[in-house]
């Protein structure tokens, strides 16, 4: 009986000890509510993402157009015409000057001047949205930044001519105008392996000498614009104050920090969508 009694005593003490440990564990957990809240917050971040948007990781990333602040994806541009519409020329063997493309396709064309602003996220925007943009570059403005535009070219942007030094060409002698245009043709060929066929004169000013020099440098079309965006607002050179099919839009490049080039582009894309339009590749229509 002594052995049996001792066994009962040992079991009782063991039960008491287990109960005490359980109570202590419960007390230790209950006295630290901050720690418990921290664990719950960590679980919420893990399941909804650090941005707090409530999107589960299991649902995958947002579509590219939503990441860039668009409500809907850009519709694909229609198949370009087999033969681009003819534009009027100023004379035999002279390139035409265009403000807009003569087309009924619901497209507009995005062009960027100079090359002063080199935001790496703009490259991401062009790549992710597959924007067919045209970059008119000035050598003295781009300076050491050609690598940025090589990245843009690699994701689909086209590289075009905007002179070596950005002078107002109208009134300059033929030799000076030819040097500005042909010099940038040579520069872009050495940088990108091509000679552009589109040219935009600085400030949109030109004269018959400009057209003759451009033709002699291998330019097929002189490109101006009907709409332009500086800061965050669209202005129009002629005609209706709204975007229309075939419009060429010039997006000014500068050293602005607010809004950035990509932010101005997103605002422009929203306006394009609001008009029932999309973005086409200018080179396919000229």
């Amino acid at each position: 009986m002594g052995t049996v009694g001792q066994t009962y005593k040992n079991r009782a003490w063991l039960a008491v000890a287990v109960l005490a440990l359980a109570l202590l564990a419960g007390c230790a957990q209950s006295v630290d509510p901050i720690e418990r809240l921290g664990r719950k917050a960590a679980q919420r971040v893990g399941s909804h993402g650090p941005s707090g948007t409530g999107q589960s990781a299991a649902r995958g990333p947002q579509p590219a157009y939503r990441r860039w602040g668009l409500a809907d994806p850009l519709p694909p541009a229609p198949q370009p015409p087999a033969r681009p519409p003819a534009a009027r020329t100023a004379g035999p063997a002279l390139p035409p000057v265009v403000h807009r493309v003569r087309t009924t396709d619901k497209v507009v064309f995005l062009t960027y001047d100079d090359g002063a602003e080199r935001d790496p996220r703009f490259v991401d925007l062009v790549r992710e949205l597959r924007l067919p943009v045209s970059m008119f570059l000035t050598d003295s403005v781009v300076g050491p930044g050609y690598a940025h535009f090589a990245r843009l070219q690699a994701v689909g942007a086209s590289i075009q001519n905007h002179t070596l030094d950005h002078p107002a060409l109208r009134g300059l002698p033929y030799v000076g105008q030819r040097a500005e245009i042909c010099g940038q043709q040579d520069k872009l060929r050495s940088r990108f392996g091509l000679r552009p066929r589109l040219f935009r004169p600085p400030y949109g000013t030109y004269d018959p000498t400009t057209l003759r020099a451009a033709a002699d440098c291998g330019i097929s079309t002189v490109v101006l614009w009907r709409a332009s965006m500086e800061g965050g607002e669209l202005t129009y050179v002629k005609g209706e104050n709204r975007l229309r099919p075939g419009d060429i839009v010039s997006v000014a490049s500068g050293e602005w920090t607010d809004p950035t080039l990509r932010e101005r582009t997103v605002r422009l894309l929203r306006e394009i969508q609001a008009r029932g339009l999309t973005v086409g590749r200018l080179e396919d229509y000229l």
Side-chain angles (χ1 to χ4, degrees):
M1 292 294 293
T3 303
V4 174
Q6 186 63 39
T7 300
Y8 281 130
K9 287 182 179 180
N10 290 342
R11 288 180 178 175
W13 279 108
L14 180 60
V16 170
V18 170
L19 180 60
L21 287 173
L23 289 172
L24 285 173
C27 290
Q29 185 177 12
S30 64
V31 296
D32 195 4
I34 301 300
E35 181 181 355
R36 293 202 306 278
L37 287 172
R39 289 176 182 172
K40 290 180 180 179
Q43 290 171 353
R44 285 196 298 271
V45 170
S47 61
H48 298 292
S51 63
T53 59
Q55 180 180 0
S56 171
R59 292 170 58 190
Q62 285 185 328
Y65 67 90
R66 288 194 181 277
R67 287 199 301 275
W68 291 106
L70 300 178
D72 299 292
L74 281 168
Q79 190 71 22
R83 295 183 61 183
R88 299 177 188 173
T89 64
L94 293 180
V97 179
V98 298
H99 295 81
R100 61 185 304 272
V101 173
R102 295 166 58 191
T103 181
T104 57
D105 290 349
K106 292 184 177 182
V107 294
V108 296
F109 307 99
L110 303 189
T111 65
Y112 296 78
D113 290 354
D114 306 338
E117 191 171 357
R118 296 185 283 277
D119 179 358
R121 292 204 65 202
F122 181 71
V123 181
D124 297 334
L125 173 70
V126 171
R127 182 186 68 250
E128 293 185 18
L129 297 183
R130 299 182 181 182
L131 288 179
V133 298
S134 302
M135 314 301 295
F136 287 83
L137 301 184
T138 297
D139 181 67
S140 62
V141 176
V142 176
Y146 275 105
H148 171 81
F149 295 98
R151 289 190 289 273
L152 273 169
Q153 184 192 38
V155 299
S158 81
I159 304 299
Q160 304 298 339
N161 189 329
H162 198 42
T163 72
L164 282 173
D165 300 306
H166 208 273
L169 295 176
R170 185 169 56 198
L172 295 181
Y174 171 82
V175 172
Q177 296 203 42
R178 188 179 190 280
E180 281 289 338
I181 301 170
C182 286
Q184 183 64 341
Q185 290 286 88
D186 295 339
K187 180 77 68 171
L188 294 175
R189 182 178 182 180
S190 68
R191 294 282 186 175
F192 300 101
L194 55 86
R195 289 177 69 84
R197 59 186 183 85
L198 305 184
F199 169 66
R200 172 167 287 165
Y203 314 107
T205 63
Y206 66 97
D207 58 19
T209 302
T210 309
L211 301 183
R212 185 159 60 93
D216 292 345
C217 295
I219 295 298
S220 65
T221 308
V222 174
V223 179
L224 301 182
W225 60 91
R226 195 185 82 84
S228 64
M229 173 168 275
E230 295 189 16
E233 302 296 328
L234 273 170
T235 58
Y236 298 87
V237 176
K238 56 174 67 176
E240 299 177 64
N241 288 334
R242 64 182 180 88
L243 289 175
R244 299 181 300 172
D247 279 349
I248 298 171
V249 184
S250 171
V251 184
S253 175
E255 298 299 337
W256 294 297
T257 56
D258 184 27
T260 64
L261 189 62
R262 57 187 162 79
E263 289 170 336
R264 296 197 300 278
T265 300
V266 169
R267 291 183 188 182
L268 179 55
L269 292 176
R270 291 181 187 136
E271 178 66 19
I272 290 169
Q273 289 183 312
R275 295 293 177 184
L277 304 168
T278 191
V279 182
R281 183 175 298 280
L282 181 61
E283 293 72 20
D284 291 342
Y285 285 80
L286 296 178

